[in-house]
Amino acid sequence: MTRVNRILRVLPAVPLLVLAAACGPDEPSRADSQPSFVTPTRLAPPPGDPAALAAQAIAAMSDADLAGEVLMPYAYGNSATSVDAASKAGNHNLAGVDTPAEMIAEFHLGGLILVSFSAADPTSTTNPTTNVDDPKQVRALTDGLQAAARALPGRAPMMIGTDQEYGVVTRVTNGVTLLPSAMAAGAAGQPQLTKAAWRAAGEELAAMGLTVDFAPDADTLGPPANTVIGSRSFGGDAKANAAQVTAAVDGLQSAGITAGLKHFPGHGHTSGDSHDTLPVVAQSRDAWTRQDLPPFQAGIKAGAGVVMSGHLDVSSLDKGVPATFSHKIMTDVLRGQLKFTGVAITDAMNMPPAMKWPAGEAAVRALNAGNDMLLMPPDIGAARDGILAGLKDGSLKRSRLVEAVTRILTLNFTTAQQQRPDLSTVNTPAHQQAVSALDAASITVLRGKCDGPLVHGPVTVSTQAVRATARDNLTKALQDQGIKTGAGGSVIRLVGYGDKPGDLDAKADVTVMMDTPYLLASAKSGTLLASYSSSKLSLKALAAVLAGKAKATGKSPVAMSGLPRTACD
């Protein structure tokens, strides 16, 4: 049990104190040892029991301060205190201020999420800007944000999170060790490799000043092929997913980063996308218990400090009510049945299902359901004012707000007392080695031979223009394996996220899927492989298999029409 989880398990008693005051084993040794800190620092200085520090901080806060502590918006600009004209305009539109630091000061925020926009990202509609670039910039930004937070009443550290899932949802991509998608880890089927890779990821996030990663995705995919969550999930087997989620949580939190499970109570059994509409999950309660519950249950048991609610109509649990706003789901099931004592955070409140109500009313509804923190409110001022109005008219009890802030600050003080690695730990050979082991175990042959070279040179790699980087990285990796490249030999066709049958090449000798493998069922190539990911290390592992210098030991974690899980049993 992690220190965070031990502390959070005593939280049910903490609000009373506050109210009184206010009223893997097989990996290289690096993977299982403590991170080597070059320049240890702390996010905030105060030592002591985090729950007591939270109570002390809350005693110094007004109702407006408490209302700000449950808000976690994004901000424009890659610096806390100095932004360009476009970012200044964005912050004015969102919060009436110039900079992220001013946003923290104005609204007494308890958290901020770092975002990046990419048209190819399935979550792009909630991320209209980019405020991350490389590790050095992110570290400077997070240091500035924490400095602004420490100037507020209570002098409490803040929660700084991001969606670093890897694969198609990755915020910081430059200068870091990129893990493959969750589905690649599912294909590898070796939780000890997952744990080592996610520990490396956690050390890098901690070095950049992050405190929470909204990962891993604990959704279990169900038929028909779920294209909403897709490769963000470890796969379609609840038991296997539970083991992978446990490994990812252990890896992240052993490095001092809080893991955030999502999207509770499960987004894998619907074809609807909560970024567009309110998806309906129509399973029976028994089916939900067997198929969706186990990974969340396992992640909570492993000590995950955060659970993110989904904007989902789970009919068997609370028909017609989005889970984020359901007391039955967020309190009766999450707190009562699963005994979760950490921080419950909403999915983005700027998504359509959450914008059914005005921002202030939505904020009160989400808190009353059992959420502690509100992610990405579409109008920060209106959300804060709605909470204050709720306190005044009695629609929101102050004890519920204090309970939420207590959980948030206890987690924040706990994280702040963790030693943080220096930036020199980012993208190290040791991290690349841990992640490469996972990549190598994930490569899957779905059609074709399993021994020897799968191509003959000179090899041509083709793909759509949008995947030029992946094409170039695979070409270079093949060359490094001694394979000649150029016209005249085998043709490899790369396909990825969002591609359709028309993007396949019927004449290609080899087709490789860099996302969910479902499209391969339509491919005509004699050799079909899945890497589930387009990261450089994934493609390096793929090149070794294509060159016949490594065996493809992965098995697809989802079923495909007309294809086996692997051709190499």
Side-chain angles (χ1 to χ4, degrees):
M1 186 184 295
T2 65
R3 181 167 182 253
V4 171
N5 199 40
R6 287 197 299 271
I7 290 169
L8 291 176
R9 286 193 181 281
V10 305
L11 278 182
V14 173
L16 298 177
L17 298 173
V18 178
L19 285 171
C23 329
D26 296 329
E27 282 303 284
S29 58
R30 167 76 177 179
D32 287 322
S33 63
Q34 293 298 314
S36 50
F37 302 107
V38 178
T39 309
T41 59
R42 296 186 185 277
L43 302 184
D49 176 64
L53 291 171
Q56 183 180 5
I58 290 172
M61 293 182 181
S62 67
D63 285 354
D65 297 331
L66 294 174
E69 284 291 332
V70 300
L71 303 179
M72 191 178 200
Y74 62 89
Y76 291 81
N78 60 8
S79 165
T81 56
S82 179
V83 302
D84 60 23
S87 295
K88 186 180 295 186
N91 287 326
H92 265 275
N93 185 56
L94 185 63
V97 298
D98 288 348
T99 68
E102 290 174 7
M103 189 183 296
I104 293 168
E106 175 68 21
F107 293 99
H108 296 198
L109 300 177
L112 199 95
I113 183 170
L114 305 190
V115 295
S116 67
F117 174 81
S118 170
D121 187 321
T123 66
S124 61
T125 56
T126 62
N127 292 263
T129 186
T130 298
N131 56 16
V132 297
D133 182 12
D134 57 43
K136 184 177 180 181
Q137 174 267 321
V138 174
R139 172 70 172 262
L141 172 59
T142 57
D143 283 349
L145 298 176
Q146 293 290 4
R150 288 195 296 269
L152 298 176
R155 301 182 61 81
M158 74 186 308
M159 184 184 299
I160 304 177
T162 197
D163 294 294
Q164 193 81 347
E165 295 180 25
Y166 302 96
V168 295
V169 177
T170 307
R171 302 300 181 226
V172 186
T173 59
N174 296 327
V176 299
T177 309
L178 289 175
L179 275 62
S181 68
M183 187 166 283
Q190 300 183 52
Q192 75 275 15
L193 298 182
T194 302
K195 179 180 177 179
W198 277 94
R199 181 181 176 90
E203 290 180 8
E204 298 196 1
L205 291 168
M208 290 185 279
L210 276 297
T211 69
V212 174
D213 188 7
F214 296 122
D217 190 303
D219 300 315
T220 297
L221 297 182
N226 181 303
T227 58
V228 178
I229 299 301
S231 62
R232 301 168 67 189
S233 165
F234 290 105
D237 183 285
K239 183 177 179 180
N241 287 0
Q244 291 291 335
V245 166
T246 296
V249 169
D250 285 346
L252 271 174
Q253 298 203 160
S254 66
I257 291 292
T258 300
L261 307 177
K262 61 188 183 187
H263 307 79
F264 187 78
H267 204 320
H269 285 81
T270 176
S271 58
D273 187 345
S274 54
H275 290 86
D276 303 320
T277 186
L278 177 63
V280 176
V281 181
Q283 302 155 284
S284 67
R285 180 68 178 256
D286 180 65
W288 173 80
T289 300
R290 288 184 288 104
Q291 298 168 356
D292 288 315
L293 179 59
F296 289 100
Q297 201 165 30
I300 290 169
K301 185 177 180 180
V306 167
V307 170
M308 179 184 287
S309 64
H311 302 321
L312 306 160
D313 176 1
V314 185
S315 301
S316 65
L317 301 182
D318 196 1
K319 185 176 177 61
V321 181
T324 297
F325 303 97
S326 169
H327 189 275
K328 290 181 180 178
I329 293 173
M330 296 307 298
T331 298
D332 296 348
V333 176
L334 182 62
R335 303 292 186 188
Q337 180 181 344
L338 299 185
K339 310 301 182 187
F340 178 63
T341 58
V343 175
I345 187 167
T346 70
D347 204 344
M349 296 290 280
N350 61 1
M351 292 163 66
M355 294 178 69
K356 175 181 177 181
W357 304 278
E361 182 180 351
V364 171
R365 284 176 177 269
L367 288 166
N368 280 333
N371 294 281
D372 302 309
M373 182 160 266
L374 313 177
L375 184 65
M376 293 177 161
D379 185 323
I380 301 173
R384 189 268 314 273
D385 293 345
I387 293 169
L388 293 176
L391 293 175
K392 187 174 182 180
D393 67 21
S395 59
L396 175 65
K397 292 182 179 179
R398 192 172 190 275
S399 59
R400 169 77 273 266
L401 181 61
V402 169
E403 178 185 54
V405 176
T406 299
R407 290 189 180 119
I408 292 165
L409 291 188
T410 301
L411 178 60
N412 289 354
F413 276 113
T414 301
T415 308
Q417 292 177 357
Q418 305 277 338
Q419 286 189 318
R420 184 172 62 180
D422 186 81
L423 280 174
S424 63
T425 64
V426 177
N427 207 20
T428 60
H431 287 176
Q432 292 180 31
Q433 181 182 358
V435 173
S436 292
L438 180 61
D439 283 308
S442 72
I443 306 301
T444 308
V445 174
L446 299 164
R447 180 190 295 160
K449 63 180 186 176
C450 301
D451 297 295
L454 306 184
V455 293
H456 63 276
V459 172
T460 301
V461 181
S462 73
T463 190
Q464 294 191 78
V466 70
R467 305 191 205 291
T469 298
R471 178 199 63 207
D472 294 345
N473 284 339
L474 179 57
T475 299
K476 175 64 165 56
L478 288 167
Q479 292 168 346
D480 290 343
Q481 292 290 342
I483 301 293
K484 293 183 178 180
T485 57
S490 298
V491 174
I492 301 172
R493 181 67 175 179
L494 294 180
V495 287
Y497 175 76
D499 279 345
K500 296 177 173 56
D503 299 304
L504 297 167
D505 179 359
K507 297 180 180 180
D509 301 284
V510 178
T511 299
V512 177
M513 187 56 176
M514 301 182 293
D515 193 60
T516 55
Y518 305 118
L519 185 59
L520 292 177
S522 301
K524 305 301 182 185
S525 301
T527 299
L528 304 178
L529 294 98
S531 66
Y532 313 94
S533 177
S534 61
S535 71
K536 184 178 288 188
L537 292 178
S538 289
L539 297 177
K540 183 177 179 180
L542 172 66
V545 171
L546 289 168
K549 296 183 180 179
K551 290 188 178 296
T553 59
K555 295 184 178 181
S556 173
V558 292
M560 294 154 290
S561 176
L563 290 174
R565 299 293 182 104
T566 174
C568 299
D569 274 338

